[in-house]
Amino acid sequence: MEFGLVGKPNVGKSTFFAAATLVDAEIASYPFTTIDANRGVTYVRSECPHVELGKPCDPVNSKCDDGTRMIPVQAIDVAGLVAGAHKGRGRGNQFLDDLRQASVLVHVVDASGETDGEGNLVGVGEHDPREDVAFLENEVSFWIKGILDRGWDKVSKQIALTGARTEAALQDRLAGLGVTLADMYHVLGALDLPEKVTDWTDDHLMELAREVRKVSKPILIAANKADKAPPDMLQSLQDMDDEMVIPTSAECELALRRASKAGFIEYHPGEADFTIKDPSAMSAAQVRGLESIRTCMASMGGTGVQRVIEKAVFDLLDSIVVYPVEDETHWASKKGHLLPDAYLVRRGTTARDLAYIIHTEFGDKFIRAVNARTHRVVGADHELQHKDVVKIVWGG
């Protein structure tokens, strides 16, 4: 599971990426600071089931922070996008190619309005960030349409002549973007396109591309630099879709995570406050800086960065966390690790699906699964629920 950080140059994408992953990325106030994509790992939080047992867990593929399981998620920060990227302008071709396998896009927008459409610094409030939201959606949609356009006359005639399922033929063309057959059934079911694909016009293909974008590359808006944004400008962004626009300050989050790593503060990402451990161990300027961040957090309810990550993973991707174990009685692996692994899966994932995620052989030789909480045997098609602890039985 991977989310892509997207946006025009100089809006704080690399700062957001560094804050989320603590991977060093070049950060500077000029366009195209990021040339090659940066990759790293961030985390989403979920209550760890070990709390129910009253015993400490022994995680292997994730970590646990005082009862909160931190599950890893891949993140990619790509080169800044400018208008015309789908035609190769700027770093457009590379930018879009880097996003092929991203399951969800986090669009980092400069909510302060201090960067123009090209990513150049202007005065605060001089650029309307709502324009950036529309332009990025258009660029990604045009990119998808460009893939559909290639040899479309030949493909559409082949579908008509062979009687092939339209959904399957389109999914085959878009599989490189992570589009599934289920996605294509959803997309075509939502549109009123001509029955014969040979009758589809350029406008129909554009309509199709926009719907594919919504399903396969959903976008969440990180309204960055919210602490500097004019209130009416930030509100205008949130009015576009309050659920999908989250105010953030990546700069504050990065400062907090670095201070926490250095041992100056106690801070858990996603919380609305932090504790300075020993003010005497810091300079007066450092303390003032942290108190300034505290004031910012109080007005926003936190920095917003962790909220964005978790909103993208849990809400837009409709993910749940499940815990496979080998010993359903003690919720442990054969080696005795208590709740060793936590997996993020899409809601609707079945017991057999989980078996395949763990190992192909487990899926091929699936016999049954056991719900470790209830000790109830469940079948291959049983849909897993959030925080399920499950044993997969396989063999033969």
Side-chain angles (χ1 to χ4, degrees):
M1 187 174 292
E2 179 175 273
F3 74 84
L5 285 173
V6 298
K8 69 185 183 185
N10 207 21
V11 295
K13 277 192 309 88
S14 293
T15 304
F16 191 108
F17 174 82
T21 64
L22 281 183
V23 171
D24 288 334
E26 187 177 0
I27 301 168
S29 57
Y30 53 83
F32 298 109
T33 304
T34 302
I35 300 299
D36 297 317
N38 297 306
R39 293 182 179 273
V41 175
T42 187
Y43 298 88
V44 294
R45 302 167 299 168
S46 180
E47 184 182 10
C48 185
H50 88 253
V51 175
E52 300 170 39
L53 296 180
K55 299 178 182 179
C57 62
D58 190 10
V60 176
N61 79 334
S62 51
K63 58 184 181 181
C64 192
D65 181 7
D66 194 26
T68 299
R69 186 61 73 101
M70 311 290 284
I71 303 105
V73 181
Q74 297 291 323
I76 178 172
D77 166 34
V78 301
L81 184 68
V82 294
H86 68 282
K87 297 179 181 178
R89 186 165 178 263
R91 297 282 297 175
N93 290 331
Q94 182 62 48
F95 165 92
L96 294 165
D97 192 59
D98 285 335
L99 290 180
R100 285 182 177 272
Q101 294 307 313
S103 305
V104 61
L105 305 183
V106 172
H107 182 188
V108 182
V109 172
D110 181 357
S112 74
E114 69 172 355
T115 46
D116 65 18
E118 301 293 310
N120 300 300
L121 286 174
V122 293
V124 170
E126 290 188 17
H127 178 78
D128 188 346
R130 292 175 298 181
E131 296 177 10
D132 300 333
V133 175
F135 115 81
L136 187 128
E137 291 179 355
N138 283 335
E139 287 297 333
V140 177
S141 296
F142 274 117
W143 170 48
I144 294 171
K145 181 178 179 293
I147 295 171
L148 291 169
D149 276 340
R150 294 171 200 153
W152 175 249
D153 286 344
K154 180 180 178 180
V155 171
S156 61
K157 289 174 183 176
Q158 189 174 30
I159 294 172
L161 286 171
T162 63
R165 294 290 301 180
T166 303
E167 293 87 353
L170 291 172
Q171 188 272 332
D172 186 61
R173 289 179 69 76
L174 298 171
L177 303 181
V179 176
T180 67
L181 187 58
D183 288 337
M184 288 315 310
Y185 274 102
H186 178 89
V187 166
L188 293 182
L191 299 174
D192 186 21
L193 300 176
E195 186 174 347
K196 294 181 180 179
V197 293
T198 49
D199 291 339
W200 290 3
T201 65
D202 193 64
D203 287 342
H204 289 132
L205 286 179
M206 190 69 238
E207 189 179 357
L208 176 65
R210 292 188 189 281
E211 197 64 28
V212 168
R213 199 280 304 158
K214 292 177 185 177
V215 171
S216 67
K217 297 286 185 279
I219 297 175
L220 180 66
I221 308 299
N224 199 35
K225 306 183 187 179
D227 49 320
K228 296 168 42 176
D232 58 338
M233 184 165 279
L234 179 60
Q235 187 60 54
S236 70
L237 256 181
Q238 292 181 284
D239 287 345
M240 296 181 75
D241 188 340
D242 189 53
E243 283 295 308
M244 292 295 109
V245 178
I246 299 177
T248 64
S249 175
E251 193 172 61
C252 289
E253 181 70 17
L254 180 57
L256 290 174
R257 294 205 186 190
R258 285 177 172 171
S260 178
K261 186 178 181 181
F264 292 129
I265 66 173
E266 183 176 335
Y267 172 63
H268 300 281
E271 293 188 351
D273 202 357
F274 58 91
T275 301
I276 298 176
K277 292 183 176 180
D278 182 5
S280 65
M282 305 170 64
S283 69
Q286 287 174 318
V287 173
R288 284 197 301 272
L290 286 171
E291 291 301 338
S292 176
I293 290 173
R294 195 194 304 276
T295 300
C296 167
M297 294 173 73
S299 66
M300 295 171 55
T303 70
V305 171
Q306 190 66 30
R307 184 184 168 203
V308 165
I309 297 166
E310 292 175 357
K311 180 81 173 178
V313 172
F314 288 126
D315 292 356
L316 267 69
L317 295 181
D318 201 14
S319 299
I320 60 173
V321 184
V322 294
Y323 299 82
V325 296
E326 294 171 284
D327 178 351
E328 71 273 31
T329 301
H330 300 97
W331 296 10
S333 68
K334 285 183 178 178
K335 294 182 178 180
H337 295 289
L338 183 69
L339 295 163
D341 297 324
Y343 281 77
L344 279 168
V345 299
R346 297 288 186 95
R347 192 176 302 279
T349 293
T350 65
R352 190 195 295 274
D353 292 335
L354 177 62
Y356 273 114
I357 291 169
I358 297 169
H359 196 286
T360 302
E361 188 177 13
F362 291 6
D364 289 341
K365 297 181 178 181
F366 179 92
I367 297 174
R368 62 184 179 276
V370 180
N371 183 317
R373 280 194 179 85
T374 64
H375 302 288
R376 174 173 162 257
V377 173
V378 297
D381 296 332
H382 173 76
E383 289 191 8
L384 302 174
Q385 302 300 311
H386 183 51
K387 291 174 56 181
D388 268 355
V389 181
V390 183
K391 176 181 179 177
I392 301 297
V393 181
W394 64 283

